């Protein structure tokens, strides 16, 4: 992420501001806003997988985009272990300094646990994450997912349906864990990610799936309605909208 890259992103953002009248809340009302400011998400910050940009590069970008007027809200997509700086995160507190400059963070939880390990993993992270964010005046959005499959990504049939959905029990365990840990909002991954087996939208059941060579998608369990995960997500939304 060179100075030229930052300049290009700034140019792109300026074009979006103009095209969608982002600072006029009466125009294009479907654009997501946070605290009455247009929201911009910057994904993939602080991971330890040798990305071609640094935390400092992203911090320079955030400073440039927010500017002295701070008219913009920024969401940062970070590793699941962003606070403890282990496992998928770079072991540097520079990430914490950057998080304090943004408005929302969303740790990437997909694939980090399954139904059996969820309590041990999330139990050690969620409440601490939420408290850290409260102490530093950053909003926190936990991510939940219905299931996961490494099969197509790794071209390994043995890893198909790696994290089973369990007819929605796994998804609901995460919803409940986030709510009971004090989360005020939630992100469900993903609406349409069929390849990784996280999709919640209507699709074919397991016994109705077409095959494409040795590639295989995760279907809806045969006992369920095709919109079951959409319905379950709706129920989670109702719960999270309840105050008190």
């Amino acid at each position: 992420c060179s100075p030229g890259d930052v300049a290009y992103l700034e140019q792109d953002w300026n074009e979006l501001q103009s095209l969608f009248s982002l600072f006029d809340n009466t125009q294009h009302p479907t654009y997501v806003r946070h605290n009455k400011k247009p929201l911009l998400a910057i994904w993939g910050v602080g991971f330890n997988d040798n990305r071609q940009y640094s935390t400092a590069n992203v911090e320079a970008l955030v400073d440039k985009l927010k500017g002295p007027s701070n008219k913009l809200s920024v969401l940062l997509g970070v590793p699941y272990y962003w606070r403890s700086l282990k496992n998928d995160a770079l072991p540097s507190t520079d990430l914490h300094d950057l998080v304090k400059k943004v408005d929302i963070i969303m740790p990437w939880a997909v694939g980090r646990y399954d139904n059996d390990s969820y309590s041990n993993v999330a139990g050690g992270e969620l409440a601490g994450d939420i408290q850290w964010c409260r102490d530093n005046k950053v909003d926190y959005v936990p991510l939940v997912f219905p299931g996961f499959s490494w099969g197509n990504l790794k071209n390994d049939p043995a890893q198909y349906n790696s994290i089973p959905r369990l007819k929605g029990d796994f998804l609901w365990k995460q919803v409940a864990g986030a709510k009971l840990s004090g989360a005020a909002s939630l992100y469900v991954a993903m609406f349409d990610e069929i390849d990784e087996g996280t999709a919640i939208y209507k699709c074919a059941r397991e016994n109705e799936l077409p095959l494409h060579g040795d590639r295989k998608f995760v279907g809806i369990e045969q006992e369920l309605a095709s919109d079951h995960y959409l319905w379950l997500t709706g129920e989670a939304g109702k719960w999270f909208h309840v105050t008190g």
Side-chain angles (χ1 to χ4, degrees), residues 95-103 105 132 136-138:
L95 179 58
H96 293 168
D97 295 335
L98 174 57
V99 168
K100 292 174 184 178
K101 287 190 168 187
V102 303
D103 303 271
I105 64 163
W132 190 100
N136 290 280
K137 297 179 173 56
V138 179

Side-chain angles (χ1 to χ4, degrees), residues 90-125:
L90 288 167
S92 171
T93 56
D94 290 348
L95 179 58
H96 293 168
D97 295 335
L98 174 57
V99 168
K100 292 174 184 178
K101 287 190 168 187
V102 303
D103 303 271
I104 312 174
I105 64 163
M106 184 188 296
W108 191 249
V110 174
R112 300 304 189 264
Y113 47 72
D114 59 17
N115 191 67
D116 294 333
S117 63
Y118 171 76
S119 295
N120 288 335
V121 174
E125 301 299 323

Side-chain angles (χ1 to χ4, degrees), residues 89-205:
L90 288 167
S92 171
T93 56
D94 290 348
L95 179 58
H96 293 168
D97 295 335
L98 174 57
V99 168
K100 292 174 184 178
K101 287 190 168 187
V102 303
D103 303 271
I104 312 174
I105 64 163
M106 184 188 296
W108 191 249
V110 174
R112 300 304 189 264
Y113 47 72
D114 59 17
N115 191 67
D116 294 333
S117 63
Y118 171 76
S119 295
N120 288 335
V121 174
E125 301 299 323
L126 261 179
D129 284 2
I130 292 170
Q131 188 60 55
W132 190 100
C133 287
R134 286 175 178 164
D135 291 343
N136 290 280
K137 297 179 173 56
V138 179
D139 289 330
Y140 180 87
V141 181
L143 181 152
V144 301
F145 61 104
F148 184 66
S149 176
W150 278 116
N152 293 331
L153 287 170
K154 296 195 173 185
N155 195 24
D156 181 0
Q159 298 195 57
Y160 170 76
N161 200 18
S162 313
I163 302 178
R165 296 178 174 226
L166 305 178
K167 301 180 184 178
D169 288 352
F170 175 54
L171 176 60
W172 198 255
K173 177 180 283 191
Q174 297 167 81
V175 170
K179 180 70 172 176
L180 297 175
S181 295
S185 54
L186 198 66
Y187 180 82
V188 180
M190 299 287 294
F191 177 69
D192 58 354
E193 179 52 85
I194 286 287
D195 192 53
E196 295 181 5
T198 64
I200 63 168
Y201 71 168
K202 293 172 68 174
C203 62
R205 295 182 180 86

